[in-house]
Amino acid sequence: MKCQKVHEKLDAYVARELPPGKAQRLENHLKTCPACREALVGARRIAAVLSETQAPPLPDGFADRVVSRARRRVPAVERKHAVAPPWSRFSTLAWRSAVAAGVVVGLALGAIMGRDVSEPSQVGASVRDAVVETYQLDYFAEAPGGSVADGMIQMMGLPENAE
Amino acid sequence: MVDDRVLMRQIAGGDMAAFRELVVRHQQSAWQIAYRYLGNRHDAEEIAQEALLKILDNAARYKPSAKFSTYLYRVIANLCFDHSRKKQPLYVDDLPVRTSDDLPPLEELSAVEREQAVQAALDLLSERQRMAVVLRYYQDLSLKEIAVAMGATAKAIERLLAAGRQALSRHLGDFSDM
């Protein structure tokens, strides 16, 4: 084993990572090479010096700051995986279409029913006169069309009431 | 304790509590590597945080082919290299860059000064030598693990460590002889 090769293997040798065969060849070289023995001592010293020095402690609140940045950074991910609100099922296209159709049908029915109610009275003037006379409702005789009084006279003039 | 790989699956599903757990587990290593490589607190915290956030961003694509910590070291190493390329020169906290001639003997140094002297010596190494030394001596990684973290062969790491060790001996001078 040559000196350059030994120098490259010293870290692995010190950490006992070398396979037994290579470790033996390296040790054989060390027995005959003072320069490489000195390099081995130097490697151990460097390892000791580095291990003795401590890096500054982790800054306070480090994890909180990382998580805080993460929450600001990935709102889309959170929304994607958040629990869906109860009403969210009604926001699908099918539900929206069904609601729209219901509104249209409701408006159409309302228009038809409203037209029946607002149509002018079919009760003839003779019936109206008969009702006024029969029930002595003279004070309603001049009631304008569409008024409450007129509506009452019309109801009373229907066949079951117009005796 | 829940395995890191399980935590990563939970994180991929949007579990922020799992992410916090992962951060708490690995924040010390992330900080130590970044600080030892970069030499100042501000940049070290920025890079360590960015590494953990990058892991969050890529959680869905994470494939547990190696130990999670090795994956984390690779992310940190790449961010450190990128940072070095973008921001030159690197600064050591309140300490001018020294050569071996500037360093007083070990016995004259306080613990803080020793730490600063070692950091200054590390800062004089090449980027890849420094990262190899940091992962080897401060994280106790094997040659193979360093090789994976740095995207190199184990043989290349051996050479980097040998060169880095010789450079540290020169820069630290008598310091390393004590």
Side-chain angles (χ1 to χ4, degrees), chain B residues 7 10 12 20-21 33 47 49 54 90-91 93 159 168 173-174:
Chain B
L7 285 180
Q10 293 171 343
R20 171 178 276 280
E21 172 65 25
I33 294 169
I47 292 299
Q49 285 194 15
K54 208 172 181 71
L90 297 171
Y91 298 99
D93 276 352
R159 293 194 189 108
L168 283 175
D174 293 340

Side-chain angles (χ1 to χ4, degrees), chain A:
Chain A
M1 192 176 274
K2 294 181 179 175
C3 291
Q4 179 62 33
K5 189 87 170 172
V6 169
H7 282 229
E8 291 176 5
K9 298 289 180 192
L10 282 180
D11 272 296
Y13 176 73
V14 170
R16 300 179 188 278
E17 288 180 23
L18 280 184
K22 281 188 180 176
Q24 186 60 56
R25 287 200 292 279
L26 188 141
E27 285 170 356
N28 291 340
H29 178 92
L30 289 173
K31 286 174 187 169
T32 60
C33 181
C36 285
R37 282 201 300 274
E38 190 176 335
L40 175 63
V41 172
R44 287 184 167 140
R45 282 177 181 158
I46 286 292
V49 166
L50 293 178
S51 65
E52 284 170 4
T53 53
Q54 300 292 318
L58 184 74
D60 288 341
F62 179 90
D64 290 339
R65 286 192 290 281
V66 175
V67 174
S68 175
R69 282 181 68 181
R71 289 190 188 284
R72 290 197 303 271
R73 188 165 164 142
V74 290
V77 172
E78 286 188 328
R79 279 201 298 274
K80 181 180 173 185
H81 296 284
V83 176
W87 58 85
S88 64
R89 74 180 76 164
F90 300 116
S91 63
T92 62
L93 182 61
W95 272 101
R96 288 177 183 176
S97 301
V99 170
V103 169
V104 170
V105 169
L107 287 172
L109 283 173
I112 293 169
M113 294 169 70
R115 187 186 61 189
D116 290 345
V117 170
S118 63
E119 279 179 350
S121 171
Q122 299 299 312
V123 179
S126 59
V127 174
R128 178 190 180 91
D129 293 343
V131 169
V132 170
E133 185 178 346
T134 303
Y135 295 100
Q136 297 178 347
L137 298 173
D138 296 338
Y139 45 88
F140 282 168
E142 299 302 322
S147 66
V148 174
D150 182 56
M152 185 176 173
I153 292 170
Q154 288 180 35
M155 288 173 61
M156 295 170 76
L158 292 176
E160 60 271 26
N161 295 322
E163 294 175 358

Side-chain angles (χ1 to χ4, degrees), chain B residues 39-130:
Chain B
N40 76 79
R41 293 181 179 84
H42 179 269
D43 289 351
E45 172 153 4
E46 178 61 29
I47 292 299
Q49 285 194 15
E50 197 57 44
L52 292 162
L53 292 170
K54 208 172 181 71
I55 279 165
L56 170 68
D57 291 344
N58 295 314
R61 291 190 288 278
Y62 171 69
K63 290 187 171 48
S65 54
K67 274 167 62 179
F68 170 79
S69 56
T70 307
Y71 170 61
L72 171 64
Y73 299 149
R74 182 163 197 157
V75 172
I76 296 173
N78 286 335
L79 285 172
C80 285
F81 293 147
D82 288 346
H83 185 274
S84 295
R85 281 190 280 273
K86 288 176 189 169
K87 193 173 182 180
Q88 290 285 356
L90 297 171
Y91 298 99
V92 176
D93 276 352
D94 306 322
L95 184 77
V97 173
R98 291 174 162 181
T99 66
S100 56
D101 296 336
D102 301 324
L103 293 171
L106 176 64
E107 63 269 21
E108 295 178 16
L109 296 175
S110 68
V112 172
E113 287 172 329
R114 285 186 202 182
E115 138 61 24
Q116 289 180 330
V118 168
Q119 190 61 54
L122 283 172
D123 197 40
L124 292 171
L125 302 181
S126 74
E127 293 173 9
R128 294 183 70 77
Q129 285 174 6
R130 194 182 329 143

